[in-house]
Amino acid sequence: RSMVEQERLPCTHLMIARGGKVLHDFGTGFERIEARVPISSDSIHRLYSMTKPIVSAALLMLLEEGRLQLSDPVQLYLGPKWRKQNMSIMVQGSYIDGSFESIQCNKSITVEMLLTHTSGLSYGFDARGLVNQLDALYVDRLYRAPDSELTDLKSGSLAEFCDQLAQLPLLFEPGSAWHYGYNTDVVGRLIEVISGQSLGHFLEARIFTPLAMPDTGFTVPECKRNRFCDIYMRKGQRAGMLSLGMSKGDDTGLTNMSEFKNVIADKYLENPEADQFFFSGGGGLVGTCRDYLRFSQCLLNGGELDGVRILGRKTVQLMSQNRLGQDPASGLHRDLSLIHISEPTRLLSISYAVFCLKKKKKNEKTEKRQYCRQ
């Protein structure tokens, strides 16, 4: 509340449920500060990277059906551009000064590498290449402007984007390290190819409708736009996710990002049936806290909610198994933005590539590669 009152945040919202019942639902701040519209459980937010758990769960639904395996190389579904012979790895130099050098990949990117962010793909956060020189290349080749939002891309459809992404160098040999990147967008494309549906249609039919999540999707219909939250940044800060670290901005005071045309997300108001609509599996969804609580409760219940099952219990267990290393102290070491894998053990979850803090119960057995509905 104090951060909202100090104009350091436009709003906050917290919902807590236990035993399937909401025990705490409290928000402070505004959907739109200028109009003094208060935040509520029905306010529609940009979910950004909270899109990733939903899309990862969707791919595992196809895994349960036997339509792919975690060990499958991505090229089986996305074509020859994703063959290791056609992909490269940045080894040294700078894209900015022209000294960029790369070598050919020795390993193929697999489905599991995408789900755990170990493929070598990057994101472009470091637009000036201060630490990650590859990001400067990503920004130049993928984005419309250096201060763009992460989904303000040059390419149109998700298919075009993934084709373009495959032609860029990787940050490291696939499977050898962890780095947060465009992996879940590629997962979204896998869903499209395997299912024969757009990512938006698949999620609507297989997750949002069955779980009664009516306000979640890739766009905001006109009848709901009065509940769509504006986004804000610190006063004095340079606009755009890709300009992180380029300007601190003031400690207090907020600027509505709708003032910056290349940043404000007009895509949320576009027609999702258009041929060139970009279904971003890594950050394109919008939704309410109430909707997301239902998805979270479904996973907590082992893949079922209100009598509707979307995933088998053992598949949900698979999603939360550690898959990267034993622990940050003994199994891994950090090098700037990378986490290098020293042992083929588990630390990273398939569901979102975050560290899993759930403690294993005493005498609990680890079940491997069991993808059955129960």
Side-chain angles (χ1 to χ4, degrees), residues 48-49 52 122-127 135 138-139 142-155 161 180-182 185 231 239-244 257 262-265 267-268 278 280-284:
Y48 289 117
S49 283
K52 290 179 172 69
S122 192
Y123 235 148
F125 284 117
D126 187 4
D135 277 7
Y138 268 56
V139 172
L142 297 176
Y143 300 104
R144 292 186 180 132
D147 59 353
S148 293
E149 195 176 7
L150 282 176
T151 47
D152 189 25
L153 300 161
K154 292 179 181 178
S155 57
F161 169 74
Y180 193 53
Y182 265 117
D185 286 284
I231 49 175
M241 286 292 291
L242 301 180
S243 62
L244 289 174
M257 292 180 70
N262 65 319
V263 173
I264 190 62
K267 64 182 181 300
Y268 294 115
F278 181 69
S280 172

Side-chain angles (χ1 to χ4, degrees), residues 186-225:
V186 184
V187 168
R189 180 56 184 158
L190 288 177
I191 292 170
E192 291 190 331
V193 172
I194 294 169
S195 70
Q197 297 177 275
S198 72
L199 181 59
H201 285 166
F202 186 90
L203 296 182
E204 181 66 34
R206 300 291 297 272
I207 297 180
F208 303 150
T209 297
L211 296 185
M213 299 168 61
D215 294 319
T216 303
F218 285 98
T219 59
V220 182
E222 187 171 356
C223 61
K224 298 182 180 181
R225 290 176 189 172

Side-chain angles (χ1 to χ4, degrees), residues 338-357:
L338 300 184
I339 301 177
H340 294 275
I341 301 172
S342 58
E343 298 180 19
T345 49
R346 296 180 174 83
L347 178 64
L348 207 65
S349 69
I350 279 178
S351 57
Y352 184 27
V354 293
F355 293 114
C356 180
L357 302 179

Side-chain angles (χ1 to χ4, degrees), residues 13 18 49 81-82 91 106 115 128 148 173 195-196 201-202 208 233 238 245 255 272 305 319 325 363:
H13 196 142
R18 185 173 183 178
S49 283
K81 290 182 180 179
W82 289 86
V91 289
N106 291 319
L115 287 166
R128 294 183 294 172
S148 293
E173 188 72 51
S195 70
H201 285 166
F202 186 90
F208 303 150
M233 68 178 185
R238 184 169 173 176
T255 299
L305 182 66
M319 292 175 69
N363 299 325

Side-chain angles (χ1 to χ4, degrees), residues 322-333:
N322 296 333
R323 306 191 73 82
L324 194 64
Q326 291 182 338
D327 75 47
S330 63
L332 305 170
H333 69 271

